[in-house]
Amino acid sequence: NDKKIDQNTHPSVIIFECVYVKNSHPHFIKWYPMDKNMIVSNVSAELFERVAAHVRDPSLSFRPSFAQRRRSYGLYKRATDGRLNPPYGDDDTNVESRPKYRPNIINFEARNKFDSWGEADSLSKQEAMDAYVNLMAEILGKEINDIIEQSS
């Protein structure tokens, strides 16, 4: 499912690659900045919700990487709740209940959620919805592409 990006046609796309070794077998994790490498743009709120509902389905058997889970959490929170940090916009919800400080290192899960949401702060709500749908299409492939085609 690797997508090859031609640097001549997409000169502004930066490809980050992380290599780690697990049980002496190399595994490659590639992360493409989704806000620059769009497949689908101007995703409607209805399509976004349909994709999010599909991903939440407990019968779905997929195992995204840690980086994919982290990125998807940040994009989802930005698209649904808005910015993590001020200044807040009109589309930001539950501003009072946001964490005021970055969680400490001992609370690994909360700290990662905070960081991933903060990384998506620079995106607009529409860009976050587009990036979330594209990330899910990259992870799940045909299942999400079918949902996208049905909404067209």
Side-chain angles (χ1 to χ4, degrees), residues 15-145:
I15 302 172
F16 297 94
E17 187 170 316
C18 173
V19 180
Y20 68 96
V21 177
K22 179 180 179 183
N23 299 333
S24 300
H25 299 289
H27 296 269
F28 298 94
I29 300 173
K30 292 182 182 177
W31 178 74
Y32 302 95
M34 295 302 293
D35 51 319
K36 297 197 184 229
N37 183 23
M38 293 294 179
I39 299 167
V40 178
S41 59
N42 295 322
V43 170
S44 67
E46 177 191 354
L47 174 59
F48 174 79
E49 287 302 325
R50 288 179 60 206
V51 169
H54 182 76
V55 170
R56 284 191 300 264
D57 183 4
S59 66
L60 202 59
S61 62
F62 75 101
R63 181 83 176 138
S65 70
F66 175 77
Q68 290 169 330
R69 286 193 315 263
R70 189 175 191 268
R71 179 84 173 140
S72 66
Y73 178 84
L75 293 171
Y76 181 82
K77 288 295 279 185
R78 174 61 185 104
T80 56
D81 290 348
R83 293 175 52 87
L84 173 63
N85 301 306
Y88 301 119
D90 295 337
D91 61 344
D92 296 335
T93 59
N94 302 326
V95 175
E96 307 81 30
S97 65
R98 306 217 173 165
K100 304 296 183 229
Y101 304 100
R102 185 177 185 214
N104 65 30
I105 193 73
I106 295 171
N107 195 344
F108 181 74
E109 184 178 356
R111 188 177 182 116
N112 272 302
K113 286 181 174 184
F114 182 91
D115 291 345
S116 64
W117 189 4
E119 289 167 5
D121 256 5
S122 63
L123 300 175
S124 70
K125 181 176 182 170
Q126 184 62 52
E127 289 171 333
M129 288 193 311
D130 294 346
Y132 180 83
V133 169
N134 285 309
L135 180 61
M136 292 302 114
E138 180 184 326
I139 295 170
L140 294 172
K142 183 175 176 1
E143 297 174 42
I144 300 299
N145 290 333

